[in-house]
Amino acid sequence: MIARLLYTAFLFLITPLAVLYLLYRSRRQPAYRRHWRERWALYTRPLQPGQPRIWLHAVSVGETRAAAPLVRELQTRYPDHRILLTCMTPTGRATAEELFRDSVDIAYLPYDYPGAVRRFLDHYRPVLGAVLETEVWPNLVHGCRRRDVPLYLVNARLSDKSFRGYARLRSLVGPAFAEFAGVLAQSQDDADRLARLGARDISVMGNLKFDNLPPQDAVARGHRWHQQLGERPVLLLASSRDGEEALLLDALAGKTLPDQLLTVIVPRHPQRFDEVAALLDARGIRYVRRSSWDEQVLPAEVTVLLGDSMGEMAAWYALADVAIMGGSLLDYGCQNLIEPAALGTPVLIGPSTFNFADVARAALAAGAAWQGKNTEAVASRALRLLRDGAVRGRMRAAGLVFASAHRGATLRALSCLETRLTPQR
């Protein structure tokens, strides 16, 4: 109680910093200037009485895409309910709009002030909530508990690094974890760490991201690109983070490359598209941006294709002969390697995998991925793979089997949530 009061006082003290943060982010992403009132749960007009709402919270792009199978199953099973999907970032919101259009309500989750939590719950009146991954807001969790709104932590994961951070705030987050109606963890290791922080009613559900099948139109687009490029080998740096593009380009520069190699670089965050373009300009590398590419055959002197688009990750994986996962070359914890494996794209990862530790271990054990101790090792392995179709074929088959074997988390999550929902016939 005292810890939550101190936390709330701290939130009010840093309110000016929250405003400055939004202004700062809006310099590179103008979308941060929109929907400000929602961040404080200040709504311009009341909702019309109607369907009860099932609320899912997905902080950004990855969580929103992971939520898609669960959203669609809930829409099918509960047609008399309306889905409310909240997020925290403009890219998460844009992804939700792309995936669901107007079939769901989309809004920002307000900051964790008690008054904002109260206004949010008064406005939407959810009958059940599910927070994806590990978003723990003490006032929000407490507010739901006081309103008898069952709030679940779904697809929950907690790395050793995150556990150590939360453990330092145990007096604040311990009661919050304990107030969740239930916790559905991705793995037993995640469940054990969450239990040590005070979570109760924990079960292991697997990872929703295995159930999120790539959009077939995007996959077909990637295959079409591959045909247009002919015999050119394609190396993909997927969802790259700050500093990783330069590392990979340096590693490739000193090696003998396959004839007409095309390197595709897709930065994780759209605000970095221009930054990566400037890096390529500074190095004198001939490149084409996806935003200006008419999907025609690229001249041989173009050696880099810059993926400066949103919502095409599945197409890039379908195009690639080998994919290097961004976030793993430097200490960012890796990005999601399930999607390329599900498409049969051989996956290479660097040393940093703490965000997907269990998935990475399973993929490596299955032969769907290979891990290098540094960027130099990863680049060398990538070039060998591009020259060895037989090994790529074995990794492709292993990836398909690996992804298929781990599906089913959506149904396990639904079986838990349905204990608090009455099916509508």
Side-chain angles (χ1 to χ4, degrees), residues 57 172-173 183 200 217 241 264 268 303 332 339 367 397 412:
H57 176 63
L172 174 65
V173 300
V183 175
R200 303 172 183 171
D217 59 336
R241 306 291 294 271
V264 179
R268 168 72 173 168
T303 60
Y332 293 110
E339 190 172 18
R412 288 189 285 275

Side-chain angles (χ1 to χ4, degrees), residues 152-205:
Y152 288 83
L153 191 60
V154 175
N155 212 42
R157 63 183 173 93
L158 193 68
S159 67
D160 280 327
K161 183 177 180 180
S162 296
F163 171 80
R164 291 192 296 271
Y166 276 119
R168 288 192 288 269
L169 300 170
R170 193 184 300 271
S171 62
L172 174 65
V173 300
F177 277 115
E179 286 190 312
F180 278 107
V183 175
L184 307 181
Q186 291 186 15
S187 71
Q188 189 59 53
D189 286 344
D190 294 312
D192 292 342
R193 285 188 284 265
L194 288 160
R196 289 163 62 190
L197 289 176
R200 303 172 183 171
D201 297 321
I202 307 172
S203 57
V204 177
M205 62 171 282

Side-chain angles (χ1 to χ4, degrees), residues 7-8 27 31 38-39 67 69 114 120 135 147 172 174 218-219 222 242 252 255 260 270 302 345 355-356 363 394:
Y7 159 77
T8 301
R27 294 175 61 189
E38 289 179 6
R39 295 187 182 275
F120 170 78
E135 282 278 296
R147 298 286 190 97
L172 174 65
V219 175
D242 189 11
L252 293 174
K255 301 184 186 306
Q260 291 195 318
V302 171
T345 306
N355 282 329
F356 288 90
R394 289 196 290 272

Side-chain angles (χ1 to χ4, degrees), residues 346-381:
V347 179
L348 302 184
I349 53 179
S352 181
T353 61
F354 58 81
N355 282 329
F356 288 90
D358 293 307
V359 171
R361 279 196 296 269
L364 291 168
W370 183 90
Q371 185 173 28
K373 63 180 181 180
N374 53 37
T375 305
E376 184 74 19
V378 171
S380 296
R381 182 69 174 189

